[in-house]
Amino acid sequence: MQPTKVTIPVPSKDPKKKEEEKPEQDAKAATAKKIKDEEKEGEDLSEEDLQLKNELEMLIERLREPNTELYRPALETLRTLIRTSTSSMTSVPKPLKFLHPHYPGLQALYETWSPSVDKSLFADILSVLAMTYSDTQPRGTLRYRLLSASLRPAAAPLSEPGSWGHEYVRHLAAELGEEYSLREFDEEGVEKESEENKVPGTVDDLRNLAVECATFLLQHNAEPDAVDLLEELEIVDRIVDLVDENTYERVCQYMIRCVNLLPPPDDISFLKTAHSIYAKHNKFPQALSLSIRLGDPALIRRDFNAPANPAMKKQLAFLLARAQVPKEWLETPAEDGMDDGESELPEDLVECLSNTRLSAQFKEFGKELNVLEPKSLEDVYKSHLENTRPTTTVDSAKANLAGTFVNAFVNAGFGNDKLMAKAEEGNSWVYKNKDHGMLSATASLGLSLLWDTDEGLSQVDKYTYSSEEYIKAGALLATGILNTGVRTEADAALALLGEYVENKSVPLKTSAIVGLGLAYAGSQREDIMMLLLPYVSDDSLSMEIASLTSLALGFIFVGSGNGEIASTILQTLMEREDKQLDEKWARYMVLGLALLYLGLQDASDATIATLKAIEHQISQLAVVLVDMCSFAGTGNVLKVQELLHYCDEHIEKAPKEKKDEKDATSEEPPKDDTFQAFAVIGIALVAMGEEVGAEMSLRQFNHLMHYGEPIIRKAVPLALGLVSASNPQLPIMDTLSKYSHDSDLQVALNAIFAMGLIGAGTNNARLAQMLRQLAGYYYKEPDCLFMVRIAQGLVHMGKGTLTINPFWNDRTIMSRTAVAGLLATLTAFTEAKGFILDKYHWFLYFLVPSMSPRFLITLDEDLNNIPVSVRVGQAVDVVGQAGKPRTISGFQTHSTPVRLGTTERAELATEEYIPFAHVLEGFVILQKNPGWEKEDKMDI
């Protein structure tokens, strides 16, 4: 059958609003077209179609007659004809096709009727016909729909929009969004906007109609469309009441995936809405993971106290422990004495919350994977594979120092390395180093005994009595390191380090302060703030002490937005002399301030305004740092653009080459460009939260590397390391490999370190091979060789059982303490000569807060390990896909405990157990599935 020649444009998007054509012209054009078409049409139509066409025309004639009795049956017949007409997906339904030419005439007719129920029905039908005219008369469907509703008596409301079919609802939804955005501009003058094609109804009418459409869409598997519609009308919170147990999961997943792509404050409202849905449907772990992302103490406390099942509470406690949520947040705030608050949580919950089991479980995990045996340095370097001329091995200080770090990183957490923890009496590695090397060597003991508070303290203890100042300082740092991320009742770290904070000796003082910062990272302890704050504000102290104290407070109060600390640091920045603010330490003072606002988005606006008022150049650096930390991991596109703008400033250096030794006497001190280095790192920091953004940032880094100033080029490898920490992707590996042979040694140095970062804890063979080649290439460059060794240590960190990637819980939650650790380490590399390659190599231990085990351990309800088979494969994003697609691809089946890569995901292989957690990683408590064995017997 030949199709008719009436062309009806059905655009995929609603066209822009055109100038309204007068209905009379339309009608004339349509009649002229009709006469032309009719000659052809006669021969094209089949019997049925002709019959339908004539019937429709007869009904329209009836509407034109003066006899009002005939209106109602005619309209109802029209309605049934339109509704019952079926058509294939690709063609326009027949009745709409035949009625299309009559539409302008019917519009004119409609205007002549007096208001009545019949007129409402007529408007309803016109609303459907308007779909075929959406290009010339925008929002006609919506207009007639609302007119029709307004003509109805309240008792008999209009039928659901869904009764006209899916296409009609989609059409309405599109027009609602368009109309709402036009309405918005001025709240008062809404009425005056356009007289001619005014859509009736208030904003509330639009919203109610949107809710009706969303309800229909939710029932018909179009969850994303429903969310988008409500988001356009700014009422996304109403979806909580529309979802049921079949749709809420898909709605929440879609909303959570949207968060990275929304501008503030919509992203927060989406998280809160998804949280309300999960809470309403008693999905405790999902709700808790969202309240951790929101960082809201009241929500976290409510979610934690919601379930009655003790096993579920333990599971939530494991989640909170992994997120380093302060335990104090869970206690109901008591007015006077806190004694009654303490005793509320039962012993076993406190144990889960304070991570005390971590060390024992981690060693157990190592045993399962056969990596318990300590690795020697040669196992890591494999120098027999390097193609260098064999040199006589002299114990050079630099090589020994590198050995210290490699040994610490590789054997981290196992507590059995040969050089320190299990060294023979009097043969300890400490004495193979001198001065600051001793500090790092002693501190490495803390890393080896990571998380093992009991054994660790007794091992470190003997070094605290040493007469050597540096060994003593190292022991203090070790105490801080081994308490990182583990909270004990005894509060040993505070007891041991607190007294040294007042010590006159600078190494002891700084080690104690940094040790406290590491041990209590993220705990927001007020008592430690009282202890440390005076050292920030005291002008008589060196910048070094003040800045490290500021950094330690930044660690402890990371992402808290604590006003007292912020104002103290701001005060100090204003009061210190210019010469002091020019020191390399100033960047750490500012970093401490920036960490307070990590992930808080707009909360830092006031601080940024204050920073701009500081006259010294440091204000520029501070603004960049605070701004980038506030939006860390949000993927906010506007922030990335802003940071890119900082990078394109071309800063003329004054004839003085050295930027560190500025002279107050010269009229115009050279402009400091350190802020550009941080802007580059900032791009990575903001973009790393969202995969598409992270991929796009790689291209920007490429441009910056080509065209940037030296300071920018130095920072690019660091940014690459941050954007893909513990996630060695081939393109990034190759890029860094190229930069690691750069003619500018500082770029090469940072690239080598970044290779360590992207491979941290992955045992990546390809990276290990690249680093061995670099070791051969740089065998005469002690600094670069030192860095290659450290990178080798990082790649084999924890023998491949640890990760420094700050995202966990299926890469949805950003760990603030981990980001703080990474930023503090990268900051040291913005001036590697002044920090890492100088006496401050122990700054590498700032990585400790971001080190966490990458395991999945399954426990029964009494927290004993139970082996179950799980499938581990690459995670696949299935949000918004139809049906129930596989969430992992290319999986292998293992028995727990099992190691998970950065981009991997696990799921249980059988249904024998039901997990309490919604994401299988870290500690997962399982419950026997009561209905499981029965099925098994039936198979026989």
Side-chain angles (χ1 to χ4, degrees):
M1 177 199 104
Q2 282 289 305
T4 52
K5 292 291 185 291
V6 182
T7 50
I8 298 172
V10 185
S12 58
K13 285 201 176 70
D14 287 349
K16 297 278 172 284
K17 182 172 182 176
K18 291 185 187 166
E19 215 32 66
E20 286 303 326
E21 286 129 32
K22 298 284 172 288
E24 295 96 289
Q25 294 171 356
D26 268 3
K28 277 181 199 157
T31 35
K33 198 171 176 190
K34 205 163 130 187
I35 298 164
K36 258 189 217 161
D37 287 349
E38 266 174 1
E39 297 153 10
K40 297 178 191 168
E41 262 173 24
E43 55 234 48
D44 291 351
L45 295 180
S46 67
E47 286 287 298
E48 294 160 26
D49 289 359
L50 259 175
Q51 192 186 342
L52 177 64
K53 187 166 189 277
N54 296 335
E55 190 175 350
L56 290 169
E57 283 174 358
M58 181 195 75
L59 290 168
I60 290 170
E61 282 311 307
R62 266 200 204 153
L63 295 180
R64 293 213 168 95
E65 286 169 19
N67 183 356
T68 46
E69 305 285 292
L70 297 171
Y71 291 170
R72 169 59 68 87
L75 287 168
E76 290 193 338
T77 324
L78 260 179
R79 183 169 65 183
T80 31
L81 280 174
I82 294 176
R83 283 193 185 169
T84 51
S85 73
T86 51
S87 75
S88 69
M89 283 294 285
T90 49
S91 65
V92 180
K94 288 276 173 352
L96 290 190
K97 194 153 106 184
F98 297 141
L99 288 170
H100 179 76
H102 299 288
Y103 177 66
L106 289 173
Q107 275 181 304
L109 182 63
Y110 169 81
E111 297 303 332
T112 61
W113 285 22
S114 55
S116 66
V117 179
D118 290 351
K119 183 166 180 176
S120 160
L121 186 52
F122 193 4
D124 204 10
I125 291 171
L126 279 178
S127 162
V128 180
L129 295 183
M131 289 202 293
T132 60
Y133 261 87
S134 59
D135 52 340
T136 51
Q137 303 179 8
R139 298 191 303 292
T141 309
L142 178 61
R143 178 167 165 245
Y144 282 115
R145 170 86 202 174
L146 291 167
L147 281 171
S148 166
S150 61
L151 292 166
R152 279 268 158 180
L158 207 51
S159 63
E160 296 274 285
S163 58
W164 289 107
H166 206 264
E167 190 51 46
Y168 177 72
V169 176
R170 305 247 325 248
H171 218 89
L172 258 186
E175 295 189 356
L176 274 168
E178 207 178 296
E179 172 64 27
Y180 185 76
S181 57
L182 288 173
R183 284 282 169 100
E184 274 268 283
F185 298 139
D186 48 340
E187 277 305 283
E188 289 73 43
V190 171
E191 302 310 310
K192 299 182 186 122
E193 228 193 316
S194 65
E195 286 73 49
E196 196 172 305
N197 192 28
K198 177 78 189 61
V199 173
T202 59
V203 172
D204 287 342
D205 293 346
L206 294 180
R207 286 181 166 162
N208 293 335
L209 183 54
V211 170
E212 279 184 47
C213 291
T215 314
F216 174 83
L217 291 167
L218 283 172
Q219 287 158 357
H220 292 80
N221 298 332
E223 293 90 354
D225 299 353
V227 175
D228 293 346
L229 172 61
L230 295 181
E231 151 71 359
E232 267 187 297
L233 275 78
E234 298 179 3
I235 45 170
V236 84
D237 46 346
R238 287 218 209 161
I239 203 164
V240 181
D241 308 321
L242 303 180
V243 293
D244 56 15
E245 65 279 358
N246 302 321
T247 52
Y248 77 91
E249 187 56 55
R250 294 173 63 94
V251 168
C252 288
Q253 282 180 332
Y254 177 72
M255 288 179 73
I256 292 166
R257 286 295 295 205
C258 286
V259 170
N260 286 328
L261 311 171
L262 290 169
D266 290 355
D267 49 359
I268 302 295
S269 69
F270 258 48
L271 280 177
K272 286 189 170 150
T273 309
H275 176 269
S276 321
I277 297 176
Y278 276 139
K280 186 176 164 189
H281 289 275
N282 289 345
K283 285 283 175 258
F284 305 115
Q286 287 96 318
L288 184 68
S289 64
L290 291 180
S291 36
I292 291 172
R293 274 183 80 168
L294 287 161
D296 179 341
L299 273 184
I300 291 179
R301 185 166 62 242
R302 211 168 63 222
D303 289 336
F304 180 67
N305 294 327
N309 181 345
M312 180 52 107
K313 286 202 86 145
K314 286 179 199 164
Q315 182 63 67
L316 297 184
F318 281 131
L319 268 177
L320 291 172
R322 174 72 178 82
Q324 299 281 314
V325 168
K327 206 159 61 212
E328 294 70 28
W329 284 8
L330 302 175
E331 290 149 8
T332 33
E335 266 60 68
D336 38 331
M338 277 303 285
D339 306 333
D340 48 300
E342 292 293 328
S343 55
E344 276 179 31
L345 296 173
E347 192 55 40
D348 51 350
L349 269 185
V350 173
E351 192 180 79
C352 300
L353 274 172
S354 35
N355 248 342
T356 28
R357 312 170 54 90
L358 191 57
S359 175
Q361 291 281 18
F362 182 65
K363 288 177 182 161
E364 188 59 33
F365 172 60
K367 200 154 97 193
E368 286 283 333
L369 294 184
N370 287 333
V371 292
L372 208 48
E373 283 305 299
K375 275 193 164 184
S376 66
L377 297 181
E378 186 46 41
D379 295 341
V380 178
Y381 297 162
K382 302 203 167 110
S383 41
H384 58 279
L385 298 174
E386 291 170 16
N387 44 6
T388 48
R389 302 163 207 71
T391 45
T392 49
T393 48
V394 187
D395 270 4
S396 79
K398 205 81 175 168
N400 281 359
L401 186 58
T404 301
F405 288 106
V406 173
N407 175 53
F409 281 129
V410 171
N411 295 306
F414 290 108
N416 57 2
D417 68 292
K418 296 259 186 2
L419 299 187
M420 290 293 306
K422 297 279 182 275
E424 296 88 56
E425 201 51 50
N427 196 11
S428 172
W429 183 256
V430 176
Y431 302 104
K432 297 217 175 146
N433 293 282
K434 54 180 197 288
D435 295 356
H436 285 84
M438 286 183 163
L439 194 159
S440 282
T442 322
S444 75
L445 186 58
L447 193 48
S448 170
L449 297 160
L450 193 58
W451 307 314
D452 188 348
T453 42
D454 309 336
E455 165 77 359
L457 291 173
S458 60
Q459 284 243 23
V460 174
D461 192 48
K462 58 175 187 268
Y463 292 103
T464 51
Y465 303 115
S466 166
S467 52
E468 263 291 347
E469 192 177 44
Y470 288 115
I471 295 183
K472 208 166 176 180
L476 298 179
L477 192 56
T479 310
I481 289 173
L482 66 87
N483 277 295
T484 304
V486 181
R487 310 263 174 267
T488 51
E489 285 301 308
D491 245 354
L494 183 55
L496 293 168
L497 300 177
E499 57 190 273
Y500 285 100
V501 172
E502 284 116 46
N503 203 301
K504 290 278 174 286
S505 141
V506 174
L508 291 179
K509 198 183 191 91
T510 50
S511 296
I513 289 171
V514 172
L516 282 172
L518 292 172
Y520 293 100
S523 68
Q524 306 192 13
R525 292 272 298 266
E526 297 283 330
D527 47 348
I528 303 178
M529 175 175 90
M530 294 306 153
L531 176 69
L532 295 181
L533 257 188
Y535 296 97
V536 179
S537 47
D538 187 345
D539 280 355
S540 60
L541 293 172
S542 69
M543 265 311 265
E544 176 182 352
I545 294 172
S547 302
L548 286 175
T549 313
S550 158
L551 178 69
L553 286 167
F555 269 179
I556 298 170
F557 285 87
V558 61
S560 66
N562 185 306
E564 200 175 331
I565 301 176
S567 53
T568 309
I569 297 178
L570 283 168
Q571 197 61 35
T572 309
L573 287 172
M574 289 177 176
E575 287 169 0
R576 288 263 175 178
E577 294 164 21
D578 283 2
K579 193 139 138 267
Q580 292 178 311
L581 292 178
D582 290 339
E583 287 182 37
K584 61 185 178 185
W585 291 105
R587 66 193 72 194
Y588 271 113
M589 180 170 281
V590 178
L591 180 63
L593 173 64
L595 290 177
L596 296 175
Y597 294 103
L598 191 66
L600 294 187
Q601 302 203 9
D602 303 331
S604 59
D605 289 353
T607 307
I608 290 178
T610 318
L611 285 169
K612 287 183 175 153
I614 295 177
E615 273 120 46
H616 188 264
Q617 301 183 357
I618 190 100
S619 75
Q620 175 89 68
L621 167 67
V623 169
V624 173
L625 257 170
V626 174
D627 208 13
M628 75 191 211
C629 282
S630 313
F631 287 88
T634 54
N636 188 314
V637 194
L638 300 172
K639 275 290 164 264
V640 174
Q641 289 171 353
E642 214 173 292
L643 290 164
L644 274 167
H645 278 298
Y646 288 123
C647 299
D648 65 13
E649 277 182 52
H650 188 74
I651 290 170
E652 285 299 330
K653 276 287 183 5
K656 283 218 193 61
E657 280 307 306
K658 301 281 293 170
K659 72 161 186 287
D660 292 335
E661 303 160 7
K662 289 180 192 149
D663 233 354
T665 50
S666 67
E667 296 81 61
E668 185 56 41
K671 193 162 180 321
D672 184 25
D673 57 3
T674 324
F675 73 91
Q676 291 188 319
F678 284 100
V680 178
I681 296 173
I683 295 171
L685 184 66
V686 176
M688 70 180 175
E690 175 250 342
E691 281 166 27
V692 182
E695 214 164 294
M696 284 159 61
S697 67
L698 300 181
R699 189 152 166 261
Q700 302 299 344
F701 294 143
N702 213 345
H703 293 324
L704 290 172
M705 199 65 183
H706 278 294
Y707 310 114
E709 307 280 313
I711 182 95
I712 291 179
R713 296 194 58 212
K714 266 193 327 201
V716 169
L718 299 176
L720 286 169
L722 176 62
V723 89
S724 160
S726 279
N727 183 11
Q729 304 166 21
L730 274 175
I732 298 186
M733 268 201 294
D734 293 341
T735 313
L736 287 174
S737 174
K738 189 171 77 196
Y739 296 159
S740 63
H741 297 81
D742 197 273
S743 53
D744 178 348
L745 274 187
Q746 287 185 305
V747 175
L749 200 84
N750 287 354
I752 298 169
F753 178 65
M755 285 164 90
L757 282 183
I758 64 167
T762 58
N763 280 345
N764 188 297
R766 182 169 176 151
L767 265 175
Q769 173 60 26
M770 285 177 180
L771 289 168
R772 277 200 297 275
Q773 283 171 348
L774 282 168
Y777 181 78
Y778 282 124
Y779 76 107
K780 281 188 174 156
E781 281 287 346
D783 285 349
C784 291
L785 186 58
F786 173 69
M787 223 53 249
V788 172
R789 294 304 185 211
I790 282 175
Q792 282 176 311
L794 288 174
V795 170
H796 297 287
M797 178 194 283
K799 300 171 216 165
T801 55
L802 295 172
T803 175
I804 57 168
N805 193 298
F807 290 91
W808 58 283
N809 196 31
D810 222 355
R811 302 214 303 293
T812 55
I813 304 179
M814 180 180 81
S815 158
R816 290 176 174 173
T817 43
V819 176
L822 285 166
L823 279 177
T825 319
L826 292 178
T827 304
F829 278 90
T830 53
E831 184 65 63
K833 282 218 172 354
F835 291 116
I836 301 288
L837 302 176
D838 194 22
K839 306 187 186 109
Y840 301 100
H841 30 73
W842 54 269
F843 280 15
L844 284 167
Y845 293 128
F846 285 146
L847 275 178
V848 176
S850 46
M851 288 162 58
S852 56
R854 43 165 95 219
F855 55 40
L856 160 62
I857 292 182
T858 44
L859 310 167
D860 63 13
E861 297 182 47
D862 303 324
L863 304 189
N864 303 318
N865 288 11
I866 37 174
V868 290
S869 53
V870 289
R871 293 193 281 259
V872 179
Q874 286 298 318
V876 184
D877 176 24
V878 294
V879 175
Q881 288 185 18
K884 292 194 175 159
R886 281 249 161 267
T887 51
I888 56 177
S889 73
F891 56 82
Q892 293 172 322
T893 308
H894 299 284
S895 169
T896 58
V898 41
R899 172 189 181 282
L900 295 177
T902 307
T903 54
E904 288 180 331
R905 191 182 282 165
E907 53 184 44
L908 294 178
T910 62
E911 301 201 347
E912 184 179 354
Y913 291 97
I914 304 171
F916 278 104
H918 62 302
V919 174
L920 297 189
E921 65 183 58
F923 294 110
V924 176
I925 301 175
L926 304 178
Q927 180 184 32
K928 206 67 165 136
N929 184 346
W932 194 67
E933 275 120 355
K934 297 172 198 152
E935 295 174 21
D936 236 22
K937 288 178 185 136
M938 279 169 62
D939 288 354
I940 307 163

